[in-house]
Amino acid sequence: AGPGSYTVGTMSERFDCHYCRDPLQGKKYVQKEGRHCCVKCFEKFCANTCTECKKPIGADSKELHFKNRYWHDNCFRCFKCYTSLVNEPFMLRENNKVWCSNCTAAEDAPRCKGCFKPIIAGDQNVEYKKMVWHKDCFTCSQCKQILSMTKLSNPTLHVSLLPCRFSSPSLLFLSQPITSGGLTYQEQPWHSECFICSNCKKQLGGKRFTAVEDQFYCVECYKECVAKKCAGCKNPITGM
């Protein structure tokens, strides 16, 4: 039954409530399907149940309905941002929850691999290897410069996806030609400013360091952050 399938008024004739048999003359009543009943019995036996709060929608309440589902007007709010959806566009989603158009668009939008926030219509973005970033989030993991599709197409540059224990998914790493000041580690060339401690970001060229799971640490940071501590003296256990 929809909200237009009953009428509410004050009884002027001699009628008894169809359910409890109390006299209705001079009292507020509800007429539904040819039956007259008091307001109390209407809420108990006839009223629709609000999809959101699960309580009956009384004769004095404003009722909204959509696809055989019913809501109090003050319960008809966006599940995500709680904005009232009375006279506003909405979407009925899983678990019978209603969403406003803005939250629906944001929820269904692809997520930026840099900041993990939705990329909505109008946002400038970059797609690379079936992944997408906000334009300003598409940056080198080392030097933080913004990468453009022009740079990606430059044959002197190379972009690869490297695992990073500080972030999931992987970060982008931009490797540029080494013209001066480079170094080599395990037969791989590095800029001096790119070969840095994963913790404190100090350059490691010419200094003692330890490599752990593709991450580099200076002596101090390895002792503080990575090395196991002795159960007796509590000092880090290192081979240094």
Side-chain angles (χ1 to χ4, degrees), residues 170-182:
S170 300
L171 297 179
L172 282 169
F173 175 75
L174 172 64
S175 56
Q176 304 185 61
I178 299 174
T179 58
S180 64

Side-chain angles (χ1 to χ4, degrees), residues 23-156:
L24 296 175
Q25 190 170 20
K27 298 179 181 178
K28 194 171 185 177
Y29 77 101
V30 181
Q31 181 179 350
K32 181 177 180 180
E33 298 176 353
R35 299 172 179 175
H36 301 81
C37 63
C38 64
V39 172
K40 184 177 181 179
C41 287
F42 172 80
E43 293 183 358
K44 184 175 181 180
F45 299 109
C46 306
N48 294 311
T49 300
C50 177
T51 301
E52 182 62 28
C53 71
K54 311 304 180 185
K55 296 179 180 179
I57 304 173
D60 294 329
S61 301
K62 292 183 179 180
E63 181 180 274
L64 300 171
H65 74 290
F66 178 73
K67 291 186 177 181
N68 295 322
R69 295 175 178 85
Y70 305 89
W71 292 265
H72 294 99
D73 65 332
N74 58 353
C75 290
F76 198 63
R77 296 179 176 274
C78 175
F79 173 72
K80 197 75 172 179
C81 68
Y82 305 108
T83 299
S84 174
L85 295 177
V86 178
N87 299 322
E88 297 292 337
F90 66 91
M91 176 71 70
L92 187 64
R93 296 176 66 93
E94 58 274 7
N95 299 322
N96 294 327
K97 300 299 184 181
V98 286
W99 293 54
C100 68
S101 56
N102 289 337
C103 289
T104 298
E107 183 71 12
D108 295 338
R111 297 277 170 169
C112 172
K113 296 301 182 180
C115 67
F116 313 114
K117 295 179 181 179
I119 298 175
I120 60 178
D123 287 347
Q124 290 185 309
N125 62 81
V126 176
E127 292 186 25
Y128 182 70
K129 292 188 177 181
K130 297 182 180 181
M131 291 178 285
V132 62
W133 288 260
H134 291 108
K135 181 181 178 181
D136 292 341
C137 294
F138 193 61
T139 61
C140 171
S141 64
Q142 295 292 335
C143 65
K144 307 303 179 184
Q145 67 173 291
I146 296 176
L147 306 178
S148 67
M149 296 312 293
T150 301
K151 289 180 179 178
L152 291 180
S153 62
N154 188 331
T156 66

